[in-house]
Amino acid sequence: MQTVPLQLSDVIYNAATQSFEALVTVHDDRGARSYACAINAPITMAFEDAAEGLATQAMRRHTFGRSRNMHLPAAKTPRRPNRLAGLRRMTIDKFATLRPRAA
């Protein structure tokens, strides 16, 4: 099994959701990818245990995304209809509406 370097940035405890949160960067042969991770845990959990849980979550997301990206076909840009054509017909000429009042 290959060891992949991980970097945890800004590990915080969110009291509103009662979870540890961090931005975890995974470095591998294809470059670096960052994942926003969160684990539900009490504030009394040891920092080492929280960091291990965040790293595990990031590695799961990294390996899952890597296996899914290999089988996806290239995305095509969908064609959108010309939405401005209808707006041009609905444009009101304010000067044309004010001309009868000026006379």
Side-chain angles (χ1 to χ4, degrees):
M1 181 171 177
Q2 180 180 349
T3 303
V4 179
L6 296 173
Q7 176 183 0
L8 277 74
S9 302
D10 301 328
V11 178
I12 62 166
Y13 185 77
N14 186 340
T17 60
Q18 297 182 353
S19 62
F20 283 93
E21 300 174 350
L23 183 67
V24 183
T25 306
V26 180
H27 302 273
D28 64 357
D29 55 345
R30 297 187 315 167
R33 298 207 53 163
S34 297
Y35 303 96
C37 298
I39 58 166
N40 294 331
I43 196 167
T44 56
M45 178 182 252
F47 177 78
E48 292 79 16
D49 296 335
E52 182 180 341
L54 292 166
T56 302
Q57 186 182 62
M59 284 305 299
R60 283 183 185 153
R61 292 175 67 188
H62 185 71
T63 55
F64 178 74
R66 193 172 185 183
S67 64
R68 286 182 50 100
N69 288 341
M70 292 179 175
H71 304 293
L72 292 177
K76 294 182 181 178
T77 306
R79 297 283 301 160
R80 296 180 67 182
N82 188 357
R83 295 181 295 142
L84 297 178
L87 293 176
R88 288 189 190 110
R89 282 181 277 156
M90 294 174 31
T91 303
I92 299 172
D93 185 7
K94 292 184 180 181
F95 293 111
T97 58
L98 295 175
R99 282 187 195 117
R101 294 184 187 171

